[in-house]
C-alpha cells in the first residue's frame, strides 16, 4: 500500500511549541490575537493535563491494568479518549484552525490507503446525498459551482508521515447548506463512503462543518489523480489521514454515529488533534 519511500520525519508533532507558534503567527490570516490566545489556552491546558498525569504515581499502572475492559480498552483509558474528544470539540466550538503554509512549502503528495479505489472511477460518477428520506444525485459540476476554496495545510497520517499539500475544492459547510438537511444539527453526524462501500468514515457534524473541511477536487493545482481520490475526496486537516476519504460515492447526514473503517480496527473514532 505505501510507497517504497524512506519514512519522513513527523514534522508537526515534534516541532517545539515556539516554532509552531511562530509558524502560526506568520501564516494564518485570521486575527493574530485570536490565534495567540488559542495557543496560550492550549499551553495552559497541556500544563494542567501534564500536572495531573504526574500526580498519578507508582502502583497506578497496576490498578489501571486490572480495570474492567470497555470496548477493548480499560475504562480509565477509554475515559481519557473521551476527554480528548471533548477537548477537540471545545476547540472546534471556538473555530480552531489548522495552521496554513505558503506555496513554497508545498510538497509532493504520497499515495497511501487504496481501499475502495479498485479500478478506475466510473466515468458516469455521481455523488449520492442522503438525509432521512431525501436522496439526491449531484455531478462534479454541482460541487464545482459552490465557492472554490484553496488551502495549504499539513496532511498527517497516523503511520507517522506528513505532507504539506495545496487543496482546492468546496467547503463541506457550503455543500451542506445547499444540499444537506435544512435543520442540520451540529450534534449529528455525517457518513461518507466510497462508491463500492469498501471504505467509509464517520464524522461528527461539527468537524464536517469546520471551515477547513473541503470536498476537494484539486491537489497541488491539478485535478485529483486517481490514487489521490478522483473525482472527489475529503480534505479535513483537523483529522488524521484516515478520515480524509478518497473517491467519495455517497454522503449521508444522520443522527447516529456512523460506521468507520479504521475505528472498527481499534483506532480512535474521533481521530482529531
Ligand atoms: N477510499 C479511501 N480513502 C482513504 C484511504 C483508503 O484506504 N481508502 N486511506 C486513508 C489514509 S490512512 C490516508 S493516510 C490517506 C492517504 O491519502 P493519499 O493517498 O492522497 O496520500 O487516505 C485516506 N483515505
Ligand atoms: Mo493514513
Amino acid at each position: 500500500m505505501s510507497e517504497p519511500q524512506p519514512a519522513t520525519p513527523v514534522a508537526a508533532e515534534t516541532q517545539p511549541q515556539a516554532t509552531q507558534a511562530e509558524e502560526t503567527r506568520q501564516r494564518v490570516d485570521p486575527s493574530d490575537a485570536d490565534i495567540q490566545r488559542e495557543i496560550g489556552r492550549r499551553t495552559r491546558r497541556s500544563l494542567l493535563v501534564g500536572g495531573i498525569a504526574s500526580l498519578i504515581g507508582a502502583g497506578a499502572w497496576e490498578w489501571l491494568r486490572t480495570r474492567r475492559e470497555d470496548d477493548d480498552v480499560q475504562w480509565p483509558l477509554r475515559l481519557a479518549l473521551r476527554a480528548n474528544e471533548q477537548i477537540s470539540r471545545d476547540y472546534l466550538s471556538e473555530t480552531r484552525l489548522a495552521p496554513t503554509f505558503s506555496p513554497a512549502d508545498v510538497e509532493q503528495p504520497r499515495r497511501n490507503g487504496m481501499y475502495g479505489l479498485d479500478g478506475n472511477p466510473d466515468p458516469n460518477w455521481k455523488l449520492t446525498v442522503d438525509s432521512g428520506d431525501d436522496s439526491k444525485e449531484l455531478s462534479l459540476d454541482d460541487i464545482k459551482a459552490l465557492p472554490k476554496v484553496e488551502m495549504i495545510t499539513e496532511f498527517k497520517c497516523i503511520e507517522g508521515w506528513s505532507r504539506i499539500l495545496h487543496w482546492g475544492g468546496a467547503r463541506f459547510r457550503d455543500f451542506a447548506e445547499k444540499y444537506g438537511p435544512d435543520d442540520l444539527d451540529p450534534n449529528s453526524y455525517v457518513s461518507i463512503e466510497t462508491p463500492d462501500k469498501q471504505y467509509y468514515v464517520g464524522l461528527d457534524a461539527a468537524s464536517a462543518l469546520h471551515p477547513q473541511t473541503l470536498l476537494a477536487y484539486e491537489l497541488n493545482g491539478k485535478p485529483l489523480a486517481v490514487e489521490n481520490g478522483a473525482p472527489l475526496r475529503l480534505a479535513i486537516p483537523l483529522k488524521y489521514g484516515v478520515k480524509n476519504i478518497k473517491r467519495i460515492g455517497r454522503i449521508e447526514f444522520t443522527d447516529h454515529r456512523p460506521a468507520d473503517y479504521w475505528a472498527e480496527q481499534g483506532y480512535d473514532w474521533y481521530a482529531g488533534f
Side-chain angles (χ1 to χ4, degrees):
M1 244 187 330
S2 330
E3 290 168 5
Q5 243 175 319
T8 43
V10 192
E13 283 103 326
T14 54
Q15 259 169 12
Q17 194 74 20
T19 321
Q20 180 90 43
E22 185 93 283
E23 198 141 65
T24 310
R25 205 177 312 122
Q26 287 166 2
R27 287 164 175 165
V28 175
D29 5 292
S31 151
D32 281 4
D34 285 357
I35 301 283
Q36 288 316 305
R37 255 198 309 281
E38 178 59 33
I39 287 168
R41 210 176 293 135
R42 281 167 85 160
T43 308
R44 282 192 299 280
R45 183 120 49 165
S46 39
L47 287 176
L48 179 67
V49 171
I52 292 168
S54 63
L55 288 177
I56 304 173
W61 176 247
E62 184 53 26
W63 173 81
L64 186 58
R65 212 182 50 73
T66 53
R67 285 320 90 182
R68 166 180 69 82
E69 294 199 352
D70 166 13
D71 252 17
D72 293 341
V73 176
Q74 278 90 359
W75 66 258
L77 294 179
R78 174 58 62 191
L79 279 180
L81 284 177
R82 293 212 180 106
N84 282 340
E85 174 169 333
Q86 193 52 51
I87 287 167
S88 297
R89 281 173 188 255
D90 289 350
Y91 286 139
L92 276 176
S93 64
E94 297 159 13
T95 316
R96 183 171 63 114
L97 292 172
T100 57
F101 299 82
S102 75
D105 299 322
V106 172
E107 299 173 289
Q108 282 305 308
R110 272 184 77 158
R111 183 201 59 135
N112 194 56
M114 298 295 281
Y115 297 109
L117 270 74
D118 290 341
N120 280 319
D122 182 351
N124 300 314
W125 177 90
K126 292 274 182 194
L127 174 65
T128 303
V129 184
D130 291 334
S131 161
D133 294 337
D134 187 64
S135 185
K136 299 180 180 74
E137 298 244 294
L138 303 181
S139 66
L140 192 57
D141 283 341
D142 293 327
I143 303 300
K144 288 184 173 168
L146 295 166
K148 186 178 179 188
V149 174
E150 294 185 46
M151 65 180 184
I152 301 177
T153 46
E154 185 170 35
F155 182 96
K156 299 183 202 181
C157 172
I158 38 181
E159 288 169 355
W161 55 269
S162 71
R163 285 288 186 283
I164 292 172
L165 301 174
H166 180 170
W167 299 103
R171 281 205 168 94
F172 192 94
R173 179 187 282 186
D174 292 335
F175 155 79
E177 268 168 22
K178 182 141 189 202
Y179 298 111
D182 297 334
D183 49 349
L184 181 52
D185 175 1
N187 293 315
S188 65
Y189 298 95
V190 176
S191 162
I192 311 182
E193 60 190 25
T194 54
D196 66 4
K197 308 188 190 309
Q198 293 299 302
Y199 196 78
Y200 40 92
V201 302
L203 292 173
D204 58 289
S207 295
L209 297 173
H210 184 275
Q212 290 172 309
T213 301
L214 305 190
L215 287 173
Y217 43 82
E218 282 180 12
L219 176 54
N220 289 359
K222 290 179 291 211
L224 274 181
V226 171
E227 68 268 23
N228 297 120
L232 191 68
R233 79 176 293 172
L234 198 71
I236 178 165
L238 284 186
K239 303 276 182 197
Y240 281 106
V242 285
K243 295 283 188 186
N244 291 243
I245 181 174
K246 305 190 277 191
R247 198 186 286 188
I248 297 174
R250 191 174 84 101
I251 297 178
E252 184 189 8
F253 295 90
T254 168
D255 291 335
H256 305 286
R257 180 180 273 221
D260 185 277
Y261 186 91
W262 283 109
E264 285 167 13
Q265 311 302 312
Y267 286 86
D268 179 28
W269 187 88
Y270 199 73
F273 30 77

